[in-house]
Structures are given as C-alpha cells and as structure tokens.
C-alpha cells in the first residue's frame, strides 16, 4: 500500500470521525461543496475543536467567506484548516485570507499485511460508553467534557479500550472503522502514569482488534511526542499536515 493511498485513507477516516464528534447538535457543523466545518461553542478557546476539512482547494477558496461567518456566528475566536501535504494552492488561498501557518503534525499509516501481529502484554478493557475516556482526554488535552449522544451510545463502528489499574483508567484510546480502514484517535495517558509504556499497550490492543475485524490498514495523526511510539509499532510517515489558523482580534459575540 503506497503512502498516497494511506494518506487518502486518513483523510477520509478523519472526516468520518470529525462528523461523529459534531453529530450531537446539527448547528455545530457546516457542509459546503468540497468543504466541511465544525464548531464546539461549549469550548470556544479549544482550537482543535474548531476546524475545517476540505477535499478541493478551489472549493475551499470559494467557501472562506461562509466559513468566517459560520465561526463568527458561534462566537469562536480562532479556528483552523487542516492542510495535507502537497496542497500549495490551498495554502496560498488561506494566506491571502489572513490565515497563519501554525503547528504541523505527521500523517501516519500502516498496512496490516506489512506488519507482523504484536498483541498487548497486559489486560485491556473494552469500554461500552466513552465517559471515562472523555474525562481522561479532557485532563490530557484540555478538551470539552460536555456530554454528547455518541459518548453514551457509540456506533458499532467505534471501538474504545482502556488500561485500568486499581479502578482508575490510566490510558485509553479508540478507533473508527470505515470500510477496511481503522482510524485511531484520542490515545491518552494520565500524566502521573506516563513513561510506563501504557500508550503502547493501548495501541497494541487497538491494532489487534482492528486485525481481528478484518481491517487492511490503520491510520492516525501524530504529534512529535507520539511519533516514536507509533513508528515502533510499524507505522510510517505518509505526509506532513499543517494547521492554518484564522485568529480574530477579539472573540465575536454569539449571533
């Protein structure tokens, strides 16, 4: 499986996951031709919850005015557009519209046919609801803890696991299956339990489950902190994506 194929699988799976995150309230998302956006008004300062994904640069350029109105209307002070590698036209359009290039992250993927199985070495728990996972992610990432319907009743394509010790969830992660691709998200370790290999164990559990369900590939986004963990598990870098951010001087009041 080529790098381009894995990157395309990530782009598609990520859109599915972001749509799931915004599924609780219809007004929190905006669908335009070739462009999709979502807000989280309950956490307006959390940048990664205010975002835009696109499939076509020209469609993105045509949508920038509508996108600004959408985010301003929800009182969002800053939002981001994720730009995959090899999209210079999109970058030019965003720069002209006042967006600034900020942090970058790595797109990574693996084809299961190329990587031998490596099951976890400890007991992992399947989570039937996402309440504990969301609470831990809020501690680690500063994300929103507002309850959403998909937290209590995850779809059958979503699979979450946790590593628990003495009744406390110390590490967790989830994955979304779409067609024969598994996207991995929200892998988190409690600050007091880091550097013990717990995230790697969770990852092994997620990958083992994906194999059993017949997935052909796994994809994810990696920060520099997590890159080495994922690489040791067989993932390879298939692109470098950049966040282009539009920041308002002052938060706009809600409409």
């Amino acid at each position: 499986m080529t790098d381009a194929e894995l990157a395309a699988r990530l782009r598609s799976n990520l859109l599915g996951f972001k749509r799931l995150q915004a599924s609780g309230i219809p007004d929190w998302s905006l669908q335009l031709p070739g462009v999709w956006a979502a807000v989280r008004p309950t956490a307006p300062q959390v940048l990664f919850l205010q975002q835009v994904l696109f499939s076509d640069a020209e469609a993105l350029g045509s949508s920038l005015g509508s996108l600004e109105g959408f985010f301003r209307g929800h009182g969002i002070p800053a939002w981001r557009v994720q730009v995959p590698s090899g999209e210079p036209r999109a970058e030019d359009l965003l720069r002209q519209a006042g967006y600034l290039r900020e942090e970058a992250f790595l797109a990574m993927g693996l084809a299961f046919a190329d990587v031998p199985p490596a099951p976890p070495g400890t007991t992992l728990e399947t989570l039937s609801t996402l309440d504990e996972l969301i609470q831990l992610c809020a501690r680690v990432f500063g994300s929103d803890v507002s309850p959403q319907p998909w937290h209590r009743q995850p779809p059958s394509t979503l699979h979450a696991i946790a590593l628990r010790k003495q009744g406390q969830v110390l590490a967790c992660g989830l994955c979304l299956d779409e067609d024969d691709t598994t996207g991995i998200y929200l892998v988190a370790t409690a600050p007091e339990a880091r550097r013990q290999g717990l995230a790697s164990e969770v990852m092994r559990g997620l990958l083992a489950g994906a194999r059993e369900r017949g997935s052909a590939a796994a994809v994810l986004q990696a920060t520099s902190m997590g890159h080495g963990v994922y690489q040791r598990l067989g993932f390879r870098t298939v692109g470098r994506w950049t966040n282009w951010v539009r920041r308002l001087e002052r938060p706009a009041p809600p409409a």
Side-chain angles (χ1 to χ4, degrees):
M1 197 172 296
T2 68
D3 289 358
E5 288 171 328
L6 287 170
R9 286 169 180 255
L10 173 59
R11 202 166 184 172
S12 175
N13 194 279
L14 178 63
L15 177 58
F17 182 66
K18 295 304 180 183
R19 281 177 167 160
L20 174 62
Q21 285 185 305
S23 63
I25 300 177
D27 290 346
W28 286 6
S29 63
L30 176 67
Q31 178 73 61
L32 299 169
V35 178
W36 181 87
V39 297
R40 189 68 63 85
T42 53
Q45 302 297 330
V46 181
L47 179 62
F48 73 84
L49 294 174
Q50 331 298 338
Q51 58 190 320
V52 179
L53 301 174
F54 69 96
S55 59
D56 178 81
E58 296 305 324
L60 173 65
S62 300
S63 301
L64 289 175
S66 298
L67 291 170
E68 182 140 347
F70 174 64
F71 287 105
R72 283 181 177 270
H74 283 282
I76 305 301
W79 58 94
R80 69 177 187 174
V81 180
Q82 296 191 46
V83 181
S85 305
E87 292 278 2
R89 177 57 177 161
E91 293 188 336
D92 287 344
L93 291 168
L94 292 168
R95 186 182 296 107
Q96 293 167 18
Y99 287 72
L100 297 176
R101 180 200 294 260
E102 294 198 2
E103 77 274 20
F105 49 92
L106 299 176
M108 302 189 76
L110 67 78
F112 283 112
D114 299 335
V115 179
T122 190
T123 301
L124 298 169
E125 175 183 340
T126 300
L127 298 176
S128 58
T129 71
L130 304 183
D131 295 338
E132 290 178 291
L133 180 147
I134 296 298
Q135 291 291 334
L136 179 54
C137 288
R139 288 181 59 199
V140 174
F141 306 125
S143 55
D144 187 18
V145 295
S146 301
Q148 303 296 322
W150 67 281
H151 296 171
R152 294 294 176 88
Q153 294 183 316
S156 60
T157 53
L158 196 69
H159 308 273
I161 61 175
L163 194 157
R164 188 188 301 271
K165 291 186 178 180
Q166 297 180 340
Q168 181 183 359
V169 171
L170 296 180
C172 64
L174 59 78
C175 57
L176 176 68
D177 293 342
E178 288 202 336
D179 298 323
D180 63 347
T181 301
T182 293
I184 296 177
Y185 305 96
L186 302 182
V187 177
T189 303
E192 67 274 14
R194 289 175 180 164
R195 301 189 183 281
Q196 300 177 30
L198 304 188
S200 294
E201 284 295 280
V202 167
M203 283 295 302
R204 291 187 185 98
L206 292 171
L207 293 174
R211 282 183 186 272
E212 291 174 1
R213 295 189 300 273
S215 288
V219 292
L220 55 79
Q221 296 172 304
T223 62
S224 57
M225 181 181 299
H227 176 260
V229 172
Y230 303 133
Q231 192 172 50
R232 287 190 290 273
L233 291 168
F235 284 85
R236 68 179 190 263
T237 301
V238 298
R240 183 178 177 86
W241 294 13
T242 305
N243 287 330
W244 284 77
V245 181
R246 177 81 167 97
R247 295 186 182 275
L248 305 179
E249 293 183 2
R250 291 177 295 180

